[in-house]
Amino acid sequence: MNRFAFPRTLPPCAPTLPAFANHFSGWQLGMGLPQALAGLLPGLFLLGEENPGCRNTAVGMALWSMQAHPLDPGLARWAFKAVNLGLKADPTLTRLMVLAADLVRPDEGEATDAWYELARQDDRGLILRFLAVVLGHPERGLGWLHFIWPDLIHMGRPEIAKAALDMVKWTKASLPLKDRFEADRTFHCLPPEEALPVIEGLDPAVWGLWRAYAGSETLLRMGRTGEAKGALAGLWQVIPWHVNLTLKLHDLFRPLPVADPKDCEEAAVLVYSWNKADLLAETLESLQMSDIGKARVFALNNGSKDHTDRVLARAAQRFGADRFHVETLPINVGAPAARNWLLSLPGVRKARWAAFLDDDIVLPVDWLLRLLGPVRGRDDIGSVGCRITAAVPPYSLQSADYNLFPVAPPEPEPETLPNRVPVYDNCAGSTDTGLFTYARPCLSVSGCCHLINLRSVECTGPFDLRYTPSQFDDLDRDLRANLHGTPALYVGGLAVRHVQHSSLAKSKTAKQIGQVMGNKLKLDTKYSDEELIRLGQQNRALLWHDLEQKSRYLVDRLGLNA
């Protein structure tokens, strides 16, 4: 029995209509964020005027969007349009669509600036006093709730988010939203055993699609994979057009291979660090506790002035001198040169794969086995990466797979910098809902923890020193690898925690921003129009081929909603 069954009110639709590929340049990129859904819905409804398959998909996407992002005004308007086209939505949900469509978002100004500053502090009293004022406003309270809710989740302080919900002046019409937001709070902030009954208690007639997804993901987190697969399969049969859900469900039925520890000798583990001794110590501790077989570790002290030398000396004692090699440089040569230095070492050049690790990450025990498993014996993959999250609950997303918008390089506007390499960051600091736990080939992966195929390096050359001291050097190498026919592979079922980059981190300094902008300009002016067009076309074809194969597999195995 499917405990997350819901009323089947949506018309049947196909997972991959030709119209999707022909009319949407970004369909294949993913649907894990509200802005991605908002970008697709106008075209879907327009095509739906003549194409019943597109109309059915538009109706289903609008309903999913409303349930997944219930206070987004733009998405609510599309959901209400779906009702006007015949969607049999529960009256309670229809009233919420009307309410959300008229929501007033706070204007950017002193109040929102004050919130940005408060959210990055740890003063519970000040935060609660601010929330009491803005959320208690009878007309603008819900707009403020929509605006600040992601920050309330990212804080990792469940009691503050719960208090915020109690401060809102709920009306009879809006009260069902409180249950939905409470379920969202428990889903992200509480142990899955506590979250499951709250999610299960939602009204399936109002929140059925999101309830089914969140409940299934919670079951997965509890290790109840069989139940979760059944519930997700039922959801997919109704919304088979959802790219992230398709990829995720496919991998549950056909899990990626995991390497044996004896295979780890194919990899050399590389880490470089500059003045992060304490963070490096934690990274090396998690590395020592992980299962890396007989893989050797090569560390580079990149001109550090703190106690990095002592951290590396202790690590060498723990690993053993035969497995832990230390290089020490008198100055910081920057990330590209540090990577190239490590790649040039004879012991590294004997390996097939180089595993680069940032010096501020926390590794799960099986990280190397999970990255090596899908690529053993393959030379058609240039690099392999994973899902990168914050280091503390609720584990906000920092990066997933990166791909290109398949458009010709645009001419820059007058007095503006060019943006010729339009990379799509499809998770963009969002909460980790589980929609990015899929695997697929892609343009690039995060350099925070990834494997590089050393045969690919022989073709592309090393990391480009022009990106010194850091930023975009790993993306640039992945672009060159794609041009040589060896794309990246994203293994999203593996999560690595990244300590320093938080979604609530303070803004960068002007110097740091200038460095990033300078390196982005180098990237944007490095490749010709022909190369960028070819990259976009190849990347798009790669994603579509992967999606269509996995959709066909699920159709053959599960069928579709009749």
Side-chain angles (χ1 to χ4, degrees):
M1 179 179 177
N2 183 357
R3 67 198 299 170
F4 291 107
F6 48 86
R8 299 296 182 95
T9 60
L10 290 175
C13 58
T16 52
L17 285 173
F20 299 161
N22 293 337
H23 293 280
F24 295 95
S25 62
W27 186 280
Q28 72 286 351
L29 295 174
M31 302 165 179
L33 295 178
Q35 50 266 44
L37 297 164
L40 295 171
L41 281 167
L44 265 181
F45 273 100
L46 183 63
L47 290 171
E49 294 175 3
E50 298 181 357
N51 186 318
C54 289
R55 180 173 62 250
N56 292 349
T57 300
V59 169
M61 188 179 291
L63 182 61
W64 163 263
S65 299
M66 174 64 196
Q67 293 188 8
H69 311 284
L71 280 179
D72 187 297
L75 297 178
R77 294 184 193 110
W78 288 113
F80 191 69
K81 180 170 183 174
V83 172
N84 291 334
L85 290 178
L87 171 65
K88 297 177 181 178
D90 184 270
T92 298
L93 184 58
T94 303
R95 287 192 291 271
L96 293 176
M97 293 175 188
V98 176
L99 184 152
D102 293 332
L103 201 69
V104 179
R105 183 182 173 91
D107 295 328
E108 293 288 337
E110 291 185 7
T112 53
D113 289 345
W115 168 250
Y116 286 134
E117 186 63 30
L118 273 177
R120 287 150 180 80
Q121 299 177 14
D122 193 29
D123 193 322
R124 184 176 182 275
L126 277 177
I127 291 173
L128 290 176
R129 285 197 290 275
F130 181 92
L131 294 177
V133 173
V134 298
L135 295 177
H137 194 287
E139 296 170 358
R140 296 182 176 270
L142 284 179
W144 269 99
L145 181 65
H146 175 57
F147 175 68
I148 66 175
W149 188 250
D151 283 346
L152 293 177
I153 296 299
H154 287 316
M155 279 181 188
R157 301 279 295 272
E159 76 282 1
I160 293 180
K162 185 173 182 60
L165 293 178
D166 291 335
M167 293 173 184
V168 175
K169 302 296 184 184
W170 301 103
T171 64
K172 183 178 180 180
S174 66
L175 191 57
L177 286 167
K178 185 177 184 181
D179 292 338
R180 168 64 178 79
F181 276 90
E182 173 60 13
D184 195 61
R185 182 187 76 90
T186 63
F187 175 64
H188 289 296
C189 300
L190 298 186
E193 295 80 6
E194 297 179 33
L196 186 63
V198 179
I199 296 168
E200 197 170 9
L202 290 174
D203 185 349
V206 180
W207 307 112
L209 299 180
W210 185 85
R211 175 180 177 269
Y213 176 76
S216 301
E217 176 63 19
T218 303
L219 288 171
L220 282 175
R221 296 174 184 181
M222 295 169 65
R224 294 160 64 173
T225 305
E227 290 178 77
K229 284 168 60 176
L232 283 174
L235 176 63
W236 181 84
Q237 288 172 312
V238 177
I239 56 171
W241 42 263
H242 198 298
V243 171
N244 299 60
L245 180 60
T246 299
L247 301 175
K248 176 186 179 75
L249 185 60
H250 172 273
D251 289 358
L252 286 173
F253 280 104
R254 301 184 72 181
L256 291 177
V258 177
D260 189 275
K262 63 179 174 53
D263 301 325
C264 293
E265 288 187 84
E266 294 186 358
V269 180
L270 313 181
V271 59
Y272 56 93
S273 185
W274 176 62
N275 289 340
K276 291 184 184 176
D278 293 333
L279 290 171
L280 175 64
E282 295 177 7
T283 297
L284 293 176
E285 182 179 351
S286 73
L287 175 61
Q288 186 185 20
M289 295 174 64
S290 63
D291 195 347
I292 61 171
K294 294 183 179 180
R296 296 179 66 193
V297 182
F298 299 81
L300 186 145
N301 183 348
N302 201 9
S304 299
K305 303 304 180 185
D306 59 4
H307 55 286
T308 294
D309 55 344
R310 296 195 296 275
V311 169
L312 293 176
R314 287 196 300 269
Q317 289 180 337
R318 294 197 302 268
F319 280 91
D322 58 328
R323 291 193 58 208
F324 196 93
H325 176 85
V326 178
E327 292 277 309
T328 301
L329 302 183
I331 60 170
N332 179 0
V333 297
R339 286 173 168 171
N340 291 343
W341 190 292
L342 288 168
L343 288 175
S344 72
L345 298 176
V348 175
R349 295 173 67 178
K350 293 177 183 178
R352 188 182 184 94
W353 295 90
F356 276 105
L357 307 179
D358 274 10
D359 55 4
D360 58 348
I361 59 175
V362 181
L363 296 162
V365 171
D366 59 352
W367 69 275
L368 186 55
L369 306 180
R370 300 276 294 278
L371 290 178
L372 269 179
V375 295
R376 286 205 67 245
R378 295 180 63 177
D379 284 327
D380 60 326
I381 296 296
S383 60
V384 192
C386 59
R387 195 166 95 255
I388 305 298
T389 79
V392 295
Y395 302 123
S396 59
L397 287 171
Q398 294 180 5
S399 64
D401 54 326
Y402 296 102
N403 292 288
L404 277 181
F405 285 107
V407 295
E411 289 294 326
E413 296 293 328
E415 300 182 2
T416 64
L417 294 175
N419 183 26
R420 289 167 42 81
V421 186
V423 176
Y424 179 56
D425 178 1
N426 66 359
C427 67
S430 62
T431 51
D432 193 354
T433 62
L435 281 172
F436 297 91
T437 57
Y438 54 78
R440 67 172 172 180
C442 60
L443 178 82
S444 182
V445 290
S446 171
C448 187
C449 172
H450 72 317
L451 305 186
I452 292 180
N453 185 337
L454 293 181
R455 295 188 182 183
S456 173
V457 174
E458 292 174 3
C459 296
T460 65
F463 291 90
D464 192 331
L465 298 181
R466 285 175 288 185
Y467 297 100
T468 301
S470 186
Q471 296 292 336
F472 302 113
D473 50 312
D474 46 358
L475 172 59
D476 171 70
R477 205 217 68 87
D478 282 345
L479 290 174
R480 285 182 278 137
N482 276 265
L483 288 170
H484 280 83
T486 53
L489 178 68
Y490 169 68
V491 181
L494 170 66
V496 166
R497 314 303 185 193
H498 194 194
V499 174
Q500 286 207 313
H501 291 182
S502 163
S503 63
L504 291 178
K506 292 183 178 180
S507 300
K508 295 179 181 290
T509 65
K511 181 178 179 180
Q512 290 171 325
I513 294 172
Q515 174 65 43
V516 172
M517 292 176 65
N519 276 4
K520 181 63 166 65
L521 179 61
K522 296 171 190 175
L523 182 73
D524 282 322
T525 55
K526 181 174 182 178
Y527 296 92
S528 69
D529 284 0
E530 185 276 329
E531 288 174 320
L532 292 176
I533 290 171
R534 179 153 58 95
L535 279 169
Q537 292 173 342
Q538 290 175 346
N539 183 231
R540 184 176 191 272
L542 189 72
L543 297 187
W544 267 111
H545 177 71
D546 180 72
L547 176 61
E548 288 173 345
Q549 278 192 320
K550 292 172 179 178
S551 293
R552 282 196 295 270
Y553 170 85
L554 291 176
V555 170
D556 290 343
R557 179 160 187 143
L558 302 174
L560 289 173
N561 180 34

